Every structure is written in C-alpha cells, then in structure tokens.
Amino acid sequence: MSILVDDSNKTACRAAEAGLQQKNCAALVRPAGTGKGCIVWELLDAHPEMRVLWVVSCTARLELRRALAKRLGRTLGGRVRLMSCEQLAVQNALGWVALAEFRPGLLVLDGWREMSAKDWTDCVQPLFRLCPGAKLLALGAVSYTHLRAHETRHDL
C-alpha cells in the first residue's frame, strides 16, 4: 500500500523513478515539508533489493529522517543506511572500506543545496568515486514563493 496520499507526490515519485531508470539520476526539488522523505521510502518499497546510502546535509535533517523512518515503521541500518555529512567527514579508512563493501545501488543526497563546498569535497566526491555505479537521487527544498514565481514565469 502506498504511503503517498498527495497526488503531486505520486506524480513526483513516478518522475523520479523514470529519471533513475533512464539516466541513473533524478532530483526532487519541492517545497519544504511536502513529503520528499515519503517519496524516497515509496521508491525504496518498490525496490526492496536495493541498498541505499542516504546522506543528509546536517544533524537536524538526520533527526527528521530518523523520526520519519520510525513513524513509518521503517528500519534503518540494514539495506538503508542514513548518515550526515558530519559523520562521513570523520570516517576513518575502515569506515570508508565498510561503505565500499556495503555497495549502495542508490545514493540519496538529502538537502544537497545546503551542502557546503567542504561537504562536497570531504563527503560527496569520495562517495561518487567509491560508488561509481550507484544511481543518484538529490532532494532539495524550495520556498512556495519561489515555486509560484517560477510557475508564473514558465506560463508566460
């Protein structure tokens, strides 16, 4: 049974699925609080064999995603690993080896627009080198005002 109740989230989920299938990458850029995390879990439910490394931009977002997993009754630590950029930055060599052995098929960059240049250098780029065959799903928030302004310009 789908955890997505909003039709726009179902549409976004289908679009992300198509991007991942066709180009091995997709981006979900939607207003804050509209269910991007639920969309990811819906995608993961459709691919129970896929291993996922879900990287969040900060500790606050990490706690939000842990709370969402708990609320949805989902398990972290098995095929879905959730880490913050801060956690990745302090990984020693054995930690990076363990991530390589985990072999994620999907990298989720949650809050990619808030990641600093240091986050990209210390965390994201090494992940790309470590997991060259992994698909990429980027999650980013945008304000409703920005979204409406874009829709208005697009309609002209």
Side-chain angles (χ1 to χ4, degrees):
M1 179 172 183
S2 176
I3 58 173
L4 301 178
V5 294
D6 184 13
D7 285 340
S8 71
N9 282 354
K10 292 176 184 176
T11 301
C13 186
R14 286 190 300 272
E17 176 76 33
L20 291 170
Q21 291 300 321
Q22 295 167 7
K23 299 184 180 187
N24 290 333
C25 62
L28 289 172
V29 181
R30 300 176 51 76
T34 56
K36 291 178 293 293
C38 290
I39 292 170
V40 173
W41 281 109
E42 184 78 10
L43 287 168
L44 299 182
D45 288 348
H47 301 279
E49 74 292 343
M50 187 180 291
R51 294 177 187 218
V52 179
L53 180 57
W54 192 332
V55 180
V56 297
S57 59
C58 61
T59 304
R61 190 177 300 272
L62 182 70
E63 294 308 315
L64 286 171
R65 296 306 181 211
R66 283 182 179 152
L68 176 64
K70 184 176 180 179
R71 183 170 54 86
L72 296 174
R74 300 307 200 270
T75 304
L76 294 169
R79 71 179 189 98
V80 180
R81 301 214 180 147
L82 179 65
M83 300 182 80
S84 68
C85 285
E86 292 99 349
Q87 291 171 323
L88 278 173
V90 298
Q91 289 287 309
N92 60 23
L94 290 176
W96 285 103
V97 168
L99 286 174
E101 290 174 349
F102 177 61
R103 291 189 182 103
L106 177 66
L107 298 174
V108 177
L109 297 182
D110 191 346
W112 63 272
R113 296 176 68 181
E114 294 118 29
M115 292 179 183
S116 68
K118 183 168 177 30
D119 291 336
W120 278 92
T121 302
D122 295 348
C123 306
V124 178
Q125 289 176 343
L127 281 176
F128 288 162
R129 287 190 299 273
L130 192 69
C131 312
K135 296 179 181 192
L136 174 65
L137 178 61
L139 308 182
V142 64
S143 70
Y144 282 105
T145 305
H146 175 80
L147 189 62
R148 292 301 298 162
H150 177 70
E151 288 173 354
T152 302
R153 283 194 311 266
H154 183 69
D155 292 341
L156 292 177

